[in-house]
Amino acid sequence: MEQRVGRVESVVAWAIRNLDGLIAVGLGLTIGLMDVLGDVISDKVSSGATLLVLGTLAVGSMTERLRRKSDIHEAYADTRRALEDLAMVRSLSGDQVGDALERARAQTNRWYFKGGTGTYLRAVTLPRCVEAATRQRAQLSIKIDIINPAEEQTCAAYARFRQTFARRRNDDAAQAWTADRTRKEAYATVLAACWFRQRLDTLEISVHLSSGVPTLRFDLSETCLIITQDDPNRVNLLVARDQPLYDYYVTELHQSREQAVRLDLRGVAPLGDEPTVDEVRAVFDDVDLPLPSVFSDADVAEIVEKALHAEDPYRR
């Protein structure tokens, strides 16, 4: 019974959709049969009926065009929605990068970073995230993946990379990158991680040291992934949390850390609010990353300055 009712509804719906065509066909057949079976209608009636049929066909044609136009608009809307879903990244430039990073920090209890030496991480991300977690008494997880300062060749290669693009855009400040500066910047990130770990019990922080030279920086929070690079004239990217590319990079960053050297930050020597040279040397010995013997006390003091008082590289 239900199948029969369904068939009837389908037939009625089809008839309504094609009502104009059915009327035209009905009129044409009626006039044609009357003309064949007998001379019962006048030429005027026949001509009028013909015009009526033609008019009905014209209306049907217009209706069909409107229906097709509506279908085209609907198909266009569906295609547009599909393309928007496929657009997994949004470009960022100029001040948009700093604003995007600020929004990413607003509501997150985790932050994964992969890059060269982590200057922005020390200057802004770490202190702001720790401050928010302290205020909210919340758990905070931070994973850091930077170049290994103990590997001179890696530091020299990274310095050359930074200098190459700095020369192309005549950036004198960026051209100051040297192997020595690179090593100190990376050591400073390690020191900053140890320093903040001792000031927030709910902070779970890890530092991983890679041998490769990164060309991009990755900052991943609970809401998005932000990919940046050293050249401010180049476009940076933002990937929202609900996009597949976000999950892909979560896995990619995890695999990168798995192949790096992880430092054990537990049980390191205590650090004061303004660490002394001896305290800093002791900390690096405890994490099995001793400072080079050629580093003087002035070099160690410079590392402390970079670790706790780094300048925001996005500030203009």
Side-chain angles (χ1 to χ4, degrees), residues 6 19 60 153 231 236 258:
L19 184 60
Q153 291 184 345
D231 189 348
N236 304 289
E258 287 293 302

Side-chain angles (χ1 to χ4, degrees), residues 105-289:
R105 290 191 301 269
Q107 294 180 339
T108 188
N109 290 323
R110 71 170 176 176
W111 197 278
Y112 299 164
F113 172 81
K114 176 177 173 57
T117 59
T119 302
Y120 183 85
L121 181 78
R122 298 191 310 269
V124 181
T125 302
L126 261 176
R128 298 279 177 83
C129 286
V130 169
E131 179 185 356
T134 303
R135 184 175 60 254
Q136 300 167 6
R137 298 186 178 182
Q139 183 74 23
L140 176 62
S141 175
I142 296 181
K143 301 182 186 298
I144 303 170
D145 187 350
I146 59 174
I147 62 176
N148 192 338
E151 297 186 2
E152 296 185 20
Q153 291 184 345
T154 301
C155 294
Y158 182 76
R160 287 194 301 271
F161 168 75
R162 294 294 298 266
Q163 290 173 0
T164 298
F165 292 95
R167 285 193 295 268
R168 290 181 180 178
R169 62 178 187 270
N170 296 320
D171 188 343
D172 294 334
Q175 289 184 38
W177 277 90
T178 62
D180 181 67
R181 176 186 173 182
T182 300
R183 300 182 75 185
K184 290 177 180 177
E185 296 282 354
Y187 278 124
T189 297
V190 176
L191 179 62
C194 295
W195 191 87
F196 280 105
R197 186 179 186 275
Q198 294 182 5
R199 277 151 182 79
L200 180 62
D201 291 338
T202 58
L203 172 60
E204 177 188 346
I205 189 168
S206 62
V207 178
H208 306 255
L209 306 179
S210 297
S211 300
V213 177
T215 59
L216 299 172
R217 290 186 293 261
F218 301 87
D219 287 275
L220 186 143
S221 73
E222 291 181 356
T223 59
C224 66
L225 164 68
I226 299 174
I227 306 174
T228 56
Q229 47 192 324
D230 298 315
D231 189 348
N233 297 321
R234 301 290 295 277
V235 174
N236 304 289
L237 304 175
L238 183 147
V239 182
R241 173 65 181 86
D242 57 353
Q243 298 295 345
L245 193 59
Y246 177 95
D247 296 324
Y248 297 162
Y249 272 109
V250 169
T251 303
E252 177 69 20
L253 295 177
H254 172 76
Q255 289 300 109
S256 177
R257 292 192 300 271
E258 287 293 302
Q259 299 173 40
V261 176
R262 177 172 180 172
L263 299 180
D264 187 356
L265 307 184
R266 298 171 299 176
V268 301
L271 291 165
D273 290 341
E274 290 293 332
T276 65
V277 171
D278 291 337
E279 288 175 348
V280 172
R281 291 188 184 275
V283 163
F284 281 106
D285 288 339
D286 289 341
V287 299
D288 198 22
L289 187 69

